[in-house]
């Protein structure tokens, strides 16, 4: 347990928050500012929203002696990313009426609204709740949205696994009534001391916590970017149980080598009946042993690396009263979504749409009317929608008779992008500017242009049929999981990025820094000869990241503790 004196300020805010209530209600009433009191902005995360300001307008507002243009971003909690057509219509209406417009699909299978003014936060939360969607625990130091492989009805097994993901999510929800009191006007609990948080305790977790459920061979949920992952073990069409992996994560800080992205470590196999017991065991071990004195060292990956896997397992087993069994073999071969149509076991069809950087907008400049297109599809479609962990959208369980109409609508509204190259389809960027308070460089607004330039190079060397996983983030927090890509750009300063290479295209190996702090010209000058070499020298079926490792352009990194090391004999790895 951490020493009380050294606890971070956030720990104190949580402790005195009366289970996440703070003074959020009072702050909402204050119309003299568009902002909330600073302490409450830590607590609102647990309710699913962040205070932001438009960074494009900061200087102008400062010159005009105005406070920053504050608004809020709200993230919904949608385990496994499944939304009915009826719910889609409701979230669309809210986007039009109460936000800055549009929706943003995230890298964790949910959606965000941006640009919500303070007085609209409550009506918005009430609106999504009326549609049976909530935002509690979408952010904050608790377990967040549980990811699940996106084609859960492709077979009965997928459905069963999706239901397991939902069960884990429910089991780990905070118990506080604060959300219902503040946003849904439910009766207030008079004596909050009697309100118990049996899993989290009064100060919740030391840091955010993330869970994914994967169905091999698809690693579409990026198990290695999660604190805890369940990998379904299937034999002869039957779900035997899950291998558990723990301690994955992406966040790091430039120049601080004791922070690093990490690959999850194997804990062992657990029976299906024990999935929630083990989720609770891992979460409470992290609750009690995670570092509450330094938020940069507070994620589960550091708890496990400091304690050692065997010791960590021992603590979990003591709490659960159940032992881990020997991990069973599995293999991932795919990292990305499968675009286009796929038939389900029940004869219905799933259509995976490529939504570039997850942004769904009705463009003003005569560009695609994406929101409208999806609304029309939701009107006609009786199945559901599934958000993927790579910011794309599946129109799921489409009746065979509706396939042609759905496809036509998707094409007419820029949602079915047959022109998108494989490079583009496999690219992903985080939100970054203008809304993200932590962004050091552009990502979502810039990557599409950079991809166009990279497409030129890839085409020139005859590699347009080669999927290469390219990811960009505006800072090293890693929201688009760049450290698991084959080529990663991580923002350092406006227009400048660190270039990393060497992921394996399956999300099971980390990238390594290749060049630091470079702008577009140098990015293209660096990558072109490497891509040319790859085109000439690659082995059959060899991906770009694997080629970079085989030819020792970068060393292979399977443990984040090696992320900053520079082994001798490797070209440029010491940059
Ligand atoms: Fe993230 C913080 C956006 C997935 C690691 N992330 C943020 C904030 C809230 C900035 C802030 O704290 O003020 C960003 C809001 C930007 C905006 O304007 O919307 C933000 N993160 C996102 C999203 C929307 C990126 C996207 O383009 O889709 C993703 C929302 C996921 C969701 O629906 O829950 C998102 N963030 C991730 C992921 C990927 C994942 O979880 O699979 C990671 C890396 C995995 C991990 O957690 O290790 C990630 N976000 C972070 C971190 C670094 C955490 C760390 O361990 O150091 C921060 C900063 C922090 O927590 O202090 C952060
Ligand atoms: Fe913001 Fe950095 Fe996350 Fe991008 S990676 S959304 S810039 S915190």
């Amino acid at each position: 347990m951490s020493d009380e004196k050294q606890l971070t300020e956030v720990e104190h805010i949580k402790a005195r928050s009366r289970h996440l209530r703070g003074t959020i209600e009072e702050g909402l009433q204050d119309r003299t500012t568009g902002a909330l009191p600073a302490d409450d902005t830590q607590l609102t995360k647990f309710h699913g929203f962040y205070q932001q300001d438009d960074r494009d307008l900061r200087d102008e507002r400062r010159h005009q002696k105005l406070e920053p243009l504050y608004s809020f971003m709200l993230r919904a909690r949608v385990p496994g990313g499944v939304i009915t057509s009826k719910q889609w219509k409701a979230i669309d209406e809210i986007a039009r009426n109460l936000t800055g417009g549009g929706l943003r699909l995230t890298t964790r299978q949910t959606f965000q609204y941006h640009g919500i003014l303070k007085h609209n936060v409550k009506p918005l939360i009430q609106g999504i709740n009326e549609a049976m969607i909530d935002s509690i625990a979408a952010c904050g130091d608790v377990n967040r949205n549980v990811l699940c492989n996106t084609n859960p009805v492709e077979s009965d097994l997928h459905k069963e696994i999706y239901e397991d993901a939902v069960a884990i999510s429910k089991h780990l929800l905070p118990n506080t009534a604060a959300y219902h009191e503040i946003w849904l006007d439910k009766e207030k609990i008079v004596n909050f001391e009697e309100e118990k948080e049996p899993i989290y305790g009064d100060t919740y977790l030391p840091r955010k916590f993330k869970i994914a459920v994967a169905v091999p061979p698809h690693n579409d949920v990026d198990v290695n970017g999660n604190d805890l992952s369940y990998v379904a073990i299937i034999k002869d069409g039957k779900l035997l149980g899950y291998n558990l992996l723990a301690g994955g994560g992406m966040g790091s800080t430039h120049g601080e080598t004791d922070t690093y992205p990490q690959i999850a470590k194997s804990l062992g196999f657990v029976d299906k009946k024990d999935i929630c017991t083990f989720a609770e065991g891992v979460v409470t071990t992290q609750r009690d042993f995670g570092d509450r004195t330094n938020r940069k060292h507070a994620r589960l990956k550091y708890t496990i690396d400091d304690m050692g896997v065997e010791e960590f397992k021992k603590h979990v087993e003591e709490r659960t009263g159940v032992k881990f069994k020997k991990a069973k073999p599995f293999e991932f071969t795919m990292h990305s979504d499968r675009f286009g149509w796929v038939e389900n076991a029940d004869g219905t069809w799933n259509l995976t749409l490529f939504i570039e950087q997850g942004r769904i907008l009705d463009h003003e400049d005569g560009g695609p009317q994406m929101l409208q297109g999806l609304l029309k599809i939701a009107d006609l479609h009786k199945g559901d929608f599934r958000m993927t962990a790579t910011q794309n959208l599946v129109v799921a369980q489409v009746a065979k008779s509706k396939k042609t109409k759905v496809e036509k609508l998707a094409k007419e509204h820029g949602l079915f992008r047959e022109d998108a190259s494989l490079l583009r389809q496999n690219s992903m960027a985080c939100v970054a500017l203008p809304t993200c308070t932590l962004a050091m460089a552009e990502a979502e607004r810039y990557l599409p242009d950079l991809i166009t330039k990279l497409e030129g190079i890839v085409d020139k060397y005859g590699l347009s049929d080669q999927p290469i996983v390219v990811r960009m983030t505006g800072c090293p927090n890693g929201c688009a999981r760049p450290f698991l890509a084959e080529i990663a750009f991580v923002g350092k300063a406006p227009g400048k990025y660190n270039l990393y290479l060497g992921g394996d295209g399956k999300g099971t190996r980390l990238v390594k820094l290749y060049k630091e702090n470079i702008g577009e010209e140098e990015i293209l000058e660096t990558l072109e000869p490497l891509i040319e070499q790859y085109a000439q020298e690659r082995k059959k079926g060899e991906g770009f990241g694997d080629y970079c490792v085989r030819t020792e352009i970068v060393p292979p990194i399977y443990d984040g503790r090696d992320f900053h090391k520079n082994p001798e004999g490797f070209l440029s790895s010491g940059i």
Side-chain angles (χ1 to χ4, degrees), residues 191-295:
N191 187 0
F192 109 93
E193 274 84 9
E194 284 169 15
E195 185 187 61
K196 294 277 172 269
E197 280 288 11
I199 295 181
Y200 293 113
D202 291 343
T203 49
Y204 299 84
L205 295 181
R207 204 64 165 89
K208 54 176 72 165
F209 194 92
K210 299 179 175 181
I211 297 183
V213 181
V215 186
H218 302 283
N219 189 17
D220 52 354
V221 294
D222 253 336
V223 293
N224 286 308
N226 286 270
D227 295 275
L228 177 61
S229 288
Y230 290 73
V231 178
I233 303 296
I234 295 163
K235 198 168 172 218
D236 302 331
K238 228 177 137 328
L239 176 67
L240 299 183
Y242 295 89
N243 275 3
L244 258 56
L245 310 174
M250 296 284 98
S252 57
T253 305
H254 288 312
E256 294 187 19
T257 51
D258 46 1
T259 67
Y260 48 81
Q262 183 57 293
I263 293 276
K265 296 176 175 66
S266 173
L267 299 182
F269 175 84
V270 304
D271 292 327
K272 179 183 157 67
K273 67 176 174 36
D274 293 324
I275 53 174
C276 290
T277 310
F278 274 100
E280 186 172 329
V282 171
V283 162
T284 55
T285 305
Q286 162 66 355
R287 177 196 68 198
D288 296 343
F289 292 92
D291 186 350
R292 291 179 187 264
T293 66
N294 176 2
R295 287 184 69 79

Side-chain angles (χ1 to χ4, degrees), residues 64-80:
Q64 293 172 342
K65 300 201 174 3
L66 294 169
E67 74 171 14
L69 186 56
Y70 290 117
S71 67
F72 295 86
M73 173 274 275
L74 184 124
R75 187 180 292 165
R77 188 181 58 87
V78 187

Side-chain angles (χ1 to χ4, degrees), residues 120-133:
N120 281 332
V121 175
K122 188 161 176 174
L124 190 149
I125 295 184
Q126 291 187 335
I128 58 167
N129 275 270
E130 267 165 39
M132 310 292 281
I133 298 170

Side-chain angles (χ1 to χ4, degrees), residues 430-432 436 438-441 473-480:
C430 71
V431 178
C436 179
L438 307 175
M440 298 169 175
T473 54
C475 83
N477 281 318
C479 298

Side-chain angles (χ1 to χ4, degrees), residues 334-366:
M334 290 171 73
H335 198 195
S336 305
D337 293 325
R338 293 166 302 170
F339 295 100
W341 290 103
V342 179
E343 189 172 8
N344 293 314
D346 63 1
T348 62
W349 290 76
N350 286 357
L351 174 64
T352 304
L353 304 171
F354 168 57
I355 310 287
E356 195 160 19
Q357 326 305 355
R359 187 66 69 178
I360 301 179
L361 271 183
D362 282 346
H363 290 264
E364 280 169 9
D365 49 3

Side-chain angles (χ1 to χ4, degrees), residues 343-416:
E343 189 172 8
N344 293 314
D346 63 1
T348 62
W349 290 76
N350 286 357
L351 174 64
T352 304
L353 304 171
F354 168 57
I355 310 287
E356 195 160 19
Q357 326 305 355
R359 187 66 69 178
I360 301 179
L361 271 183
D362 282 346
H363 290 264
E364 280 169 9
D365 49 3
Q369 303 294 293
M370 300 166 81
L371 265 181
Q372 280 193 35
L374 286 166
L375 190 59
K376 285 181 191 163
I377 292 176
D379 263 335
L380 143 105
H381 167 55
K382 297 281 169 275
D384 50 45
F385 292 88
R386 312 241 163 98
M387 295 169 284
T388 79
T390 40
Q391 305 166 332
N392 296 307
L393 189 65
V394 184
V395 188
Q397 294 173 285
V398 179
K400 198 171 174 205
S401 58
K402 301 236 166 98
K403 269 181 78 185
T404 313
K405 272 193 185 159
V406 167
E407 187 172 320
K408 188 163 175 282
L409 281 171
K411 281 183 176 158
E412 283 169 2
H413 294 83
L415 297 158
F416 195 106

